[in-house]
Amino acid sequence: MSSLDDELTTAAQEHDFSGVVRVDRAGEPPLVRAFGLANRAYGIAMTPETRLGIASGSKAFTALVVMSLVEQGTLSLTTTARSLLGADVPLVDDAVTIEHLLAHRSGIGDYLDDDADSGEYLMTVPVHRLATTEQFLAVLDGHEQVFAPGERFSYCNGAFVVLALLAERASGVSYHDLVRQRVLAPAGMTATDFLRTDDLPGDVAVGYVVVDGEVRTNALHLPVLATGDGGAYATVGDLHRFWTALDEGRIVSHETVATMTTPVSDVPEEGLRYGLGFWLDPAGDGLQLVGADAGVSFRSGHSPSTGTTWTVVANTSDGAWPVAETVVAALP
């Protein structure tokens, strides 16, 4: 992979990339490279073992938790959100189902504006009050239904917060513990977890965002403890382990993986398709996870047919994109 190694180094230098890259191809040793600083205030260098935020990349964890509950009969794809929400979030259409939420076809109003500038402060309540999934009811409420359930695709962060809430109420187990027990443990992802932004361990990269022309940390931009719509912290090694475990049926069955990775929607503006919790390449069998937030940018992909896995993650709001394009262009 010497050619790709050179291209990565060039791209990282040209775009002032701060983050970690890993590429695994069958029969070859992994290519792992770290660039820039994990903590600018203390001059701590990024390493291959640095944990970084993956933003919406962990929506796949939520989807897998929900589908594991479907496998055991606790939920079904036709379970309505209303059956577990009760009187909470009353503007959610009574016909919205688990499947609608997983496929981003629920039509519910979103609490986050994905088109907003990364430097904006989007939380409508103090971020320290968002530490449990139930506490997110304060930001989920008050958003009108946008279209009828099932009508079309519309990416929705709130849908995955609702999924986390439904999983908690159906199972009686907290969302974070559900992810740890049903996704991270079977995949051997020992470095991955949901961490408080005000208590990050020393091996975690701080996220940086530009606010009014000044570089700030992202601590005031994100919930203090993320939930179902994204926000886990992971290493590139753990993400490779995730894809391997998914392939081997260690998280959910092969049949369930097939259901989740069957295209439900074409999303031409992204150049991708979408299944149930996973982005899908428009041609071939490639799967992708994508995450973007204040101080976070992340892409990870896997081809089951070739065994190729790659991850690019940065601690800036858009640093991962040009480097990820370099990786994708170099792979078959």
Side-chain angles (χ1 to χ4, degrees), residues 77-81 94-102 106 149 163 166:
L77 288 175
T78 58
T79 298
T80 63
D94 288 351
V96 169
T97 65
I98 294 285
E99 186 169 15
H100 291 140
L101 294 164
L102 285 169
S106 68
L163 284 168
L166 302 182

Side-chain angles (χ1 to χ4, degrees), residues 128-184:
H128 71 276
R129 295 182 182 172
L130 298 174
T132 68
T133 306
E134 289 282 345
Q135 287 175 323
F136 276 75
L137 287 170
V139 295
L140 288 174
D141 209 1
H143 302 280
E144 296 280 352
Q145 189 81 18
V146 179
F147 55 82
E151 180 181 296
R152 57 185 172 85
F153 177 94
S154 181
Y155 191 85
C156 182
N157 291 284
F160 275 68
V161 178
V162 172
L163 284 168
L165 189 62
L166 302 182
E168 284 190 349
R169 292 184 176 184
S171 67
V173 178
S174 77
Y175 167 75
H176 301 109
D177 282 342
L178 285 169
V179 172
R180 291 172 188 131
Q181 295 164 8
R182 294 171 179 261
V183 180
L184 305 184

Side-chain angles (χ1 to χ4, degrees), residues 16-290:
D16 196 23
F17 174 69
S18 177
V20 187
V21 181
R22 176 167 173 151
V23 180
D24 290 82
R25 290 195 274 197
E28 299 182 22
L31 171 62
V32 188
R33 295 292 180 268
F35 303 90
L37 296 176
N39 188 306
R40 300 184 184 188
Y42 295 101
I44 299 173
M46 203 76 71
T47 76
E49 288 75 39
T50 299
R51 293 193 278 179
L52 294 97
I54 63 172
S56 290
S58 56
K59 279 186 172 71
F61 302 168
T62 305
L64 287 163
V65 161
V66 168
M67 291 302 290
S68 74
L69 292 171
V70 169
E71 281 187 337
Q72 74 178 39
T74 302
L75 293 170
S76 76
L77 288 175
T78 58
T79 298
T80 63
R82 182 59 54 212
S83 66
L84 289 162
L85 287 176
D88 291 328
V89 203
L91 296 180
V92 170
D93 193 298
D94 288 351
V96 169
T97 65
I98 294 285
E99 186 169 15
H100 291 140
L101 294 164
L102 285 169
H104 289 298
R105 299 182 69 92
S106 68
I108 70 173
D110 204 353
Y111 80 101
L112 275 183
D113 179 5
D114 263 354
D115 295 324
D117 183 89
S118 62
E120 293 186 34
Y121 296 94
L122 299 178
M123 293 294 101
T124 55
V125 303
V127 294
H128 71 276
R129 295 182 182 172
L130 298 174
T132 68
T133 306
E134 289 282 345
Q135 287 175 323
F136 276 75
L137 287 170
V139 295
L140 288 174
D141 209 1
H143 302 280
E144 296 280 352
Q145 189 81 18
V146 179
F147 55 82
E151 180 181 296
R152 57 185 172 85
F153 177 94
S154 181
Y155 191 85
C156 182
N157 291 284
F160 275 68
V161 178
V162 172
L163 284 168
L165 189 62
L166 302 182
E168 284 190 349
R169 292 184 176 184
S171 67
V173 178
S174 77
Y175 167 75
H176 301 109
D177 282 342
L178 285 169
V179 172
R180 291 172 188 131
Q181 295 164 8
R182 294 171 179 261
V183 180
L184 305 184
M189 299 171 69
T190 57
T192 301
D193 207 348
F194 289 88
L195 306 171
R196 287 185 65 102
T197 60
D198 60 355
D199 190 26
L200 294 178
D203 64 341
V204 176
V206 174
Y208 294 96
V209 61
V210 177
V211 180
D212 298 329
E214 300 289 334
V215 177
R216 309 287 187 197
T217 75
N218 62 0
L220 297 179
H221 292 262
L222 307 176
V224 71
L225 187 60
T227 188
D229 58 340
Y233 292 81
T235 62
V236 293
D238 263 8
L239 289 158
H240 175 65
R241 283 181 274 276
F242 169 77
W243 290 119
T244 301
L246 190 74
D247 257 1
E248 294 177 352
R250 287 190 277 121
I251 303 174
V252 293
S253 69
H254 291 107
E255 292 77 15
T256 295
V257 172
T259 297
M260 298 177 75
T261 57
T262 297
V264 177
S265 302
D266 289 314
V267 191
E269 62 270 25
E270 299 292 342
L272 296 166
R273 300 179 295 179
Y274 201 81
L276 301 179
F278 288 91
W279 291 100
L280 313 172
D281 291 345
D285 65 349
L287 314 176
Q288 287 194 42
L289 305 179
V290 182

